Amino acid sequence: MAKTKIKHVDHVVIRFAGDSGDGMQLTGTRFTESTAIYGNDLSTLPDYPAEIRAPAGSLAGVSVFQLHFSSKDIHTPGDQPDVLVAMNPAALKGHLDDLAPHGIIIANSDAFNTKNLKLAGYKNNPLDDGSLEQKYELHTINMTELVTEACKSIDISAKDVQRTKNMFALGLLFWMYNRNTDTTIQWLQRKFKNKPAIIEANTRALNAGYNYGNTTEMFTARYTVEKAVLPPGKYRNINGNYAISLGMLAAAKKLGLPLFFGGYPITPASEILHNLASFRNFGVKTFQAEDEIAGVASAIGAAFSGNLACTATSGPGMALKTEALGLAIMAELPLVVINVQRGGPSTGLPTKTEQSDLFQAVMGRNADSPLPVLAPATPGDCFYAAYEASQIAIKYMTPVIILSDGYLANGSEPWSIPKMADLPEIKVEFTKEFNGEDVFLPYKRDKQTLSRPWAIPGIPKLEHRVGGLEKEDETGNVNYEADNHHLMTSLRHQKVANVADDYPPTKIYGADKGDILILTWGSTFGPGRVAAERLHKNKIKASHVHLRYINPLPIDLGGILKKFENVLIPEVNMGQLYAIIRAKYVIDAHGLNVVRGRPIRASMIVNSVNKILGI
């Protein structure tokens, strides 16, 4: 048998693709855990079928999990996969065009039958007609037959045996990239502890895949990706929804306040409700309301009564919450609103990731109703965004919106677990006794922040009105006077504008002036930074600024923008930040708008920069 070569590579992108019943999310998650334990830096992109249960073998039913792992610091799940694991023809058809030139295809040949080929739109079997070998390294493996042989002495159904083929594929990839199977076997033993036959079948399939790579002469190379050099600390793999949940919990504990969540399930934000419900041993209260309006209204009531209150939803739910958010702004109560953005108000592709709610967050309420808006950059950064949003909400007595999205919510990365003692302090001061005025003045403001006192119900002599009508300055009494309404509107605007005083200086990656600046926000951080790094390697002077704070914008941003000849704003929408930047700073920026239900690619940004600069 020919000896397999060991090749050392800096990074690899693997895409697992198969029918929604093939266990691709589980396969990717297991490979991710093994890779995290090994010590690589990584970034993942799960991509679920848009349909609840599309027909088996159809293009609409393909489930995908992409993993990028590296010996160096990485920022994205990768532009193009180096390896495509295709469990059926639809998986190959839907994702072949994304595969890197000369990339590796590992196909389950047993699934390439007449029915599945027809469902995928193939007239001929692409595994047999020679078309793939011209461009790619093709490996066809009869996985279903091999797992059936491996499990033939186990007393389980044929259907359960076929379900183990994802473990075969996982075992093969473990062999190719020198991963250890032990953690996955231990996971199987925990997951199916009361089903020994299932444990045995999956373990055999996993080992069969590993041994297949080890004993056949099909593969001429194995690959090694060395451990990444990460800052010292204790790490865990984390996705954005879990990070937001932990960030809210950490803020509540730092404040010494009870945490209340009121919301309604909606893709892709539902997991935040599930996570916080599991934290009841920390005193967290969760309320699954009958609708989005009741969810936010319950959170407003919790804020009024002295809780750190939050709600989570997606764009369609934000539309329903709008009127209640106006009440929270009018009453000036601290509330954290998490919007996990998606493509639209329906099922199917609208559940995929998008950045199209920026206008809605900044301007989408009745009348002049401003509130702070911030956006995390990575899955791990969602923790700090939730913590900081809580800090702003309490200090300035205002609702705050966090703009996450489907990619950040479900994608994952290694996250250095912070110590509570190292997190910034958050102070809360309730008004606990009568302040000596003739009457209690619930809207007598702090001179610096313009925030109003937080007086919770039940304190003698601190009774005050809370309503949706315009209030009189300081007293909170209902007031219809024109000048008072203008004053209160101005005060609410200025209070939100004051939040920018707490921002750190805006960081510039690269030179502080030059030919072009890439300006990103939210989940476009990773592609923007990778694009800038690639351009630097090609001796092109492109700088990168990432915006965490969307409203108000940083005070120093205008001065930075004017130092560059060109500004490129890539977004997964049709140009919402682009419109805001052009309007506010009167600059002739360029937009790169790609709305595919997937994160924008670094290569798209590089190509756009080259086009702008005429390279």
Side-chain angles (χ1 to χ4, degrees), residues 194-398:
N194 297 322
K195 299 178 180 179
I198 298 296
I199 295 172
E200 180 64 20
N202 281 279
T203 302
R204 287 191 190 185
L206 182 72
N207 290 331
Y210 193 96
N211 293 332
Y212 184 89
N214 201 30
T215 57
T216 65
E217 297 185 16
M218 179 181 289
F219 297 90
T220 59
R222 298 175 73 188
Y223 302 88
T224 296
V225 180
E226 298 297 333
K227 295 180 180 181
V229 179
L230 300 173
K234 188 175 182 180
Y235 286 81
R236 62 156 294 160
N237 193 48
I238 199 167
N239 68 28
N241 275 347
Y242 195 71
I244 278 181
S245 305
L246 287 181
M248 292 304 307
L249 178 61
K253 291 300 176 184
K254 200 77 168 182
L255 285 161
L257 295 180
L259 176 61
F260 178 89
F261 177 94
Y264 181 77
I266 183 172
T267 304
S270 301
E271 192 181 11
I272 297 172
L273 168 59
H274 303 159
N275 292 333
L276 291 175
S278 71
F279 295 159
R280 57 184 174 275
N281 56 312
F282 293 105
V284 177
K285 296 181 179 67
T286 52
F287 169 57
Q288 181 174 320
E290 65 270 26
D291 55 40
E292 294 281 5
I293 300 170
V296 67
S298 68
I300 292 171
F304 179 62
S305 60
N307 292 258
L308 177 59
C310 64
T311 187
T313 188
S314 189
M318 284 295 292
L320 292 167
K321 294 179 187 294
T322 296
E323 186 174 10
L325 281 178
L327 170 61
I329 292 167
M330 175 69 76
E332 300 186 52
L333 290 169
L335 173 67
V336 177
V337 183
I338 303 147
N339 180 359
V340 186
Q341 299 169 94
R342 68 185 213 183
S346 184
T347 57
L349 191 131
T351 64
K352 303 292 186 177
T353 191
E354 205 159 298
Q355 289 186 299
S356 293
D357 293 345
L358 186 146
F359 279 167
Q360 184 187 45
V362 176
M363 297 175 283
R365 284 165 301 282
N366 306 110
D368 275 309
S369 303
L371 48 72
V373 179
L374 65 160
T378 68
D381 186 44
C382 287
F383 172 89
Y384 295 100
Y387 191 90
E388 187 171 6
S390 303
Q391 193 175 29
I392 293 170
I394 296 294
K395 181 175 180 179
Y396 290 91
M397 290 294 288
T398 179

Side-chain angles (χ1 to χ4, degrees), residues 98-119:
D98 289 342
L99 188 62
H102 311 296
I104 298 170
I105 300 172
I106 298 173
N108 175 23
S109 57
D110 287 330
F112 282 69
N113 54 42
T114 302
K115 178 184 176 182
N116 286 340
L117 287 168
K118 184 177 180 180
L119 282 169

Side-chain angles (χ1 to χ4, degrees), residues 142-153 158 161-162 164:
N142 51 340
M143 296 184 194
T144 306
E145 180 182 334
L146 290 168
V147 297
T148 300
E149 178 65 23
C151 301
K152 64 182 180 180
S153 62
V161 169
Q162 289 192 20
T164 68

Side-chain angles (χ1 to χ4, degrees), residues 422-442:
D422 295 336
L423 294 174
E425 289 297 324
I426 310 179
K427 295 181 179 179
V428 58
E429 294 183 7
F430 291 115
T431 300
K432 295 182 178 179
E433 58 183 26
F434 188 55
N435 56 17
E437 304 282 351
D438 292 335
V439 294
F440 173 58
L441 301 176

